[in-house]
Amino acid sequence: MRIGELSRRTGTSRRLLRYYEEQGLIAADRAPNGYREYDERFVDRVLQIRGLLGAGLPTRIIRQILPCLDKPRTIYFPDATPEMLATLRRERDRMTERIGFLTRNRDAIDAYLDAVLAYGGGDGAGDGSPADGLSREAGPGRR
Amino acid sequence: MRIGELSRRTGTSRRLLRYYEEQGLIAADRAPNGYREYDERFVDRVLQIRGLLGAGLPTRIIRQILPCLDKPRTIYFPDATPEMLATLRRERDRMTERIGFLTRNRDAIDAYLDAVLAYGGGDGAGDGSPADGLSREAGPGRR
DNA sequence: CTTGACCTTCACACATGTGTGAGTGTTCGA
DNA sequence: TCGAACACTCACACATGTGTGAAGGTCAAG
């Protein structure tokens, strides 16, 4: 498929697909006319890149860890140099930290929402379109 | 305390502390001479901001959720408007997504590291200074 | 009073991810 | 064959988080 279709199927602008390529995250081959040509595997690949970017990792890191995450679970070691392994461990630990932070803060938000809910009474949980009048008038007049 | 001390105690540059204030994340009051004056509570606050930023949230979002996470677990509802609650729910869900993505990918990295370890033999796990000779000799010295 | 450490604001600079448009070539259907 | 839709490269633009420096105010110690 060409870039337009990949763009549609991944919800990623053409611009970004070219950018990811420029960053060494994906390597499309070219048709004789110069057009990029992608096969099915790129759909997942791009989605994974988006996910990692969305999770806050920079392309520089993604470039390094992506080969180790390659889809067909090939236990194929590209260039498992000691430095590479160190990078992976470091990155894994950073991700664990992030997960911890995100979890703690998400839980705090959740607890807050529960509290508001319990206080203000029945609001259909989750859909985010309350439209009831629970707003404020809050307890201890404390502003 | 003044900005220099807060900077030292949080490992955050003065520049960034001022930036966070400009972004509405912290509100220092001023001494008569114009100096920012912080109390103890700001240390945790700044650390939490750093954590959220590090987890990939933009200041715009942090500004919104921070009041609900305020330390002394005060069930104090600032202005729990329906829109605010919707934002919180949305953000919580986005955080959950991120957590899922990070977890899956971290586990994949972990599995890869385990596989390499099992394959290449004993490498002191975790310290990241292997110095053994498991490398590869593989592939054309990329880079 | 001077020096040095600390504070202020302002402003330019940079990397990163992303949008947008210009100018040009290619493909394909009417 | 024409025009629409698509592709290409190049390049400027923007927001965000962060570094850095200039020009100047405050204050305590010598």
Side-chain angles (χ1 to χ4, degrees):
Chain A
M1 84 193 81
R2 287 175 312 194
I3 201 170
E5 186 180 343
L6 185 59
S7 168
R8 261 170 256 121
R9 291 180 56 184
T10 60
T12 304
S13 72
R14 294 164 176 78
R15 172 68 170 85
L16 282 183
L17 292 174
R18 297 194 186 104
Y19 175 69
Y20 298 156
E21 177 175 330
E22 182 189 313
Q23 295 300 302
L25 304 186
I26 51 182
D29 40 41
R30 300 298 184 110
N33 57 12
Y35 287 11
R36 290 171 180 81
E37 196 56 51
Y38 304 91
D39 65 55
E40 288 301 317
R41 305 179 310 125
F42 282 88
V43 177
D44 279 346
R45 179 104 171 185
V46 169
L47 258 22
Q48 182 161 37
I49 292 170
R50 303 283 306 176
L52 290 168
L53 278 174
L57 281 75
T59 55
R60 168 180 43 91
I61 298 298
I62 297 177
R63 187 186 324 129
Q64 293 190 283
I65 69 179
L66 213 45
C68 310
L69 273 30
D70 250 344
K71 17 340 173 351
R73 217 68 224 84
T74 318
I75 309 296
Y76 153 69
F77 309 133
D79 283 284
T81 65
E83 311 81 49
M84 173 56 143
L85 294 178
T87 297
L88 282 173
R89 275 197 265 265
R90 208 180 322 115
E91 230 31 62
R92 176 199 55 188
D93 294 344
R94 283 176 51 78
M95 288 167 84
T96 299
E97 261 183 58
R98 273 167 135 89
I99 291 168
F101 224 97
L102 279 169
T103 303
R104 281 196 297 284
N105 282 283
R106 185 211 40 193
D107 291 349
I109 292 177
D110 222 20
Y112 177 85
L113 285 170
D114 283 352
V116 173
L117 200 61
Y119 169 84
D123 173 76
D127 76 280
S129 53
D132 64 36
L134 75 90
S135 332
R136 167 199 11 292
E137 247 68 281
R142 214 318 204 155
R143 196 242 183 278
Chain B
M1 83 191 81
R2 286 175 311 193
I3 201 170
E5 186 180 342
L6 184 60
S7 169
R8 262 170 256 121
R9 290 180 56 184
T10 60
T12 305
S13 72
R14 294 164 178 77
R15 172 67 171 85
L16 282 183
L17 292 174
R18 297 193 186 104
Y19 175 69
Y20 298 156
E21 177 174 332
E22 182 189 312
Q23 295 300 302
L25 303 185
I26 50 181
D29 40 40
R30 301 299 183 110
N33 58 9
Y35 289 11
R36 289 172 180 79
E37 196 57 51
Y38 304 90
D39 64 55
E40 287 303 317
R41 304 179 311 124
F42 281 89
V43 176
D44 279 346
R45 179 104 172 185
V46 169
L47 257 23
Q48 182 161 38
I49 291 170
R50 304 282 306 176
L52 291 168
L53 279 173
L57 281 74
T59 55
R60 168 179 43 90
I61 299 298
I62 298 177
R63 187 186 321 130
Q64 293 190 283
I65 70 181
L66 213 46
C68 310
L69 271 32
D70 251 344
K71 5 10 203 271
R73 219 63 225 89
T74 317
I75 310 293
Y76 152 68
F77 309 133
D79 282 284
T81 65
E83 310 82 49
M84 174 57 144
L85 293 178
T87 297
L88 282 174
R89 274 195 266 264
R90 207 180 323 116
E91 230 29 63
R92 176 200 54 188
D93 294 345
R94 283 176 51 79
M95 289 168 85
T96 298
E97 261 183 58
R98 273 167 134 88
I99 291 168
F101 223 97
L102 279 169
T103 302
R104 281 196 298 283
N105 282 283
R106 184 210 41 192
D107 291 349
I109 292 176
D110 223 21
Y112 176 85
L113 285 170
D114 284 352
V116 173
L117 201 60
Y119 169 83
D123 174 77
D127 78 281
S129 54
D132 64 37
L134 76 90
S135 343
R136 181 83 1 254
E137 247 60 283
R142 218 285 197 198
R143 185 222 161 34

